[in-house]
Amino acid sequence: MCLFCKIVNKEIPSNIIAENDDFLAFHDINPKAPVHILAIPKLHVDSFNEVSSETMAAMTKFIQEVAKETGIDHTGYRVITNIGENGGQEVKHLHFHILGGAKLKWGHFSDADPKDFL
Ligand code: 5GP
Ligand code: ZN
């Protein structure tokens, strides 16, 4: 069973913010911003590559609710999902990072020269 499935099953403790039958939101253990929440489907999906559009529709609503409950819906926030090796995905259970609480930087994404791919 993967790490986030264990969090869903409460085998590993987490700081839960919101939960319904299908989704769970909890604080990231290594926050990159004042608000750094992970939102996941309870049923295991490897990544955004495999998720159904039906799950994504419900996931969108859940993320919007979490943003509202946290109070970052008015100040703004960022939603990120990393996919696979190049995407930097470390936990192979679909998760959306919800980042906010401060003005976020637009990061340095790659050392590769984008012109090499044109
Ligand atoms: P990824 O790099 O896969 O997109 O993000 C995985 C995220 O999960 C990281 O931001 C990391 O800090 C977080 N994380 C890893 N292990 C745990 C854990 O046991 N508990 C919580 N709450 N977050 C975790
Ligand atoms: Zn899982």
Side-chain angles (χ1 to χ4, degrees):
M1 194 185 288
C2 92
L3 178 67
F4 286 176
C5 281
K6 286 180 182 163
I7 284 181
V8 168
N9 288 343
K10 315 266 163 66
E11 285 173 39
I12 292 177
S14 68
N15 202 338
I16 294 172
I17 291 158
E19 180 171 14
N20 64 25
D21 286 347
D22 300 320
F23 303 104
L24 183 70
F26 53 97
H27 287 285
D28 194 293
I29 205 166
N30 182 22
K32 302 274 195 296
V35 175
H36 188 171
I37 297 164
L38 300 174
I40 67 171
K42 288 188 171 179
L43 279 181
H44 182 95
V45 179
D46 283 348
S47 82
F48 184 78
N49 257 347
E50 291 81 17
V51 73
S52 70
S53 52
E54 290 79 14
T55 298
M56 276 311 299
M59 183 100 238
T60 298
K61 188 163 176 274
F62 182 70
I63 291 170
Q64 289 168 343
E65 286 165 5
V66 169
K68 204 169 179 182
E69 279 169 31
T70 322
I72 57 172
D73 55 331
H74 291 301
T75 47
Y77 57 101
R78 191 172 295 161
V79 178
I80 298 172
T81 187
N82 296 323
I83 302 147
E85 196 182 338
N86 277 359
Q89 184 181 4
E90 284 175 7
V91 179
K92 307 299 188 261
H93 180 131
L94 174 65
H95 53 281
F96 290 84
H97 298 260
I98 305 169
L99 297 144
K103 182 91 178 166
L104 302 172
K105 291 180 183 165
W106 188 241
H108 171 79
F109 291 113
S110 161
D111 289 330
D113 187 344
K115 290 190 215 72
D116 291 345
F117 298 92
L118 291 175

